[in-house]
Amino acid sequence: MLRRLTLATLAALPLFAAAPARAAERQPFTDAAFAAAQEAGRPILIEVTAPWCPTCRAQKPHVDAVAADPRMREAVLLSIGFDSQKDALRRLNVRSQSTLIALRGREERGRATGITDGAAIRDLLLRAL
């Protein structure tokens, strides 16, 4: 009897397991994706990166951690290539790689360039909420 109860309990465990938390939707920056996120009033995280940039590499795990935060499930994370998307950089008034921007819809809530401290990145990007 005890064995059956244990097997039945184990079989039911997946029913009670928590659903995996969704992360921010990550995608390359496009004008259409940016406009849609703004129109919907979504939290928007923008990262300006370059493959040769050591500061961008240092920021990435911290940005990824914020994007994975369950509170960011409605957010969109847009990555702009510093070397390849100069028009978007001009429109957003970005002059350097390793720039992070937090917006909520059309409202910019924070911006920083060159920060690598995990707590500072988290605090900045969570302003999008």
Side-chain angles (χ1 to χ4, degrees):
M1 175 76 169
L2 181 58
R3 183 173 171 98
R4 281 191 203 149
L5 181 59
T6 303
L7 291 176
T9 303
L10 289 175
L13 281 178
L15 298 174
F16 298 106
R22 286 188 1 194
E25 177 185 342
R26 179 186 282 273
Q27 56 186 282
F29 181 94
T30 64
D31 290 333
F34 184 54
Q38 284 188 309
E39 185 66 29
R42 292 177 71 180
I44 304 167
L45 313 177
I46 295 178
E47 63 177 354
V48 180
T49 65
W52 47 263
C53 173
T55 303
C56 301
R57 283 193 297 274
Q59 288 175 334
K60 185 174 179 1
H62 303 296
V63 171
D64 290 346
V66 173
D69 186 314
R71 293 174 289 177
M72 299 304 268
R73 68 185 170 277
E74 299 301 322
V76 61
L77 171 58
L78 301 172
S79 294
I80 298 178
F82 181 75
D83 296 322
S84 62
Q85 295 182 281
K86 296 297 185 183
D87 287 344
L89 297 176
R90 275 191 289 281
R91 286 192 304 278
L92 292 168
N93 197 28
V94 173
R95 294 187 175 88
S96 180
Q97 75 283 356
S98 75
T99 297
L100 302 172
I101 306 170
L103 301 102
R104 177 69 184 224
R106 299 186 193 289
E107 177 190 359
E108 183 172 322
R109 294 188 168 180
R111 175 185 294 233
T113 300
I115 61 173
T116 57
D117 176 70
I121 290 171
R122 182 188 65 246
D123 292 346
L124 169 72
L125 295 180
L126 288 177
R127 291 183 201 166
L129 298 175

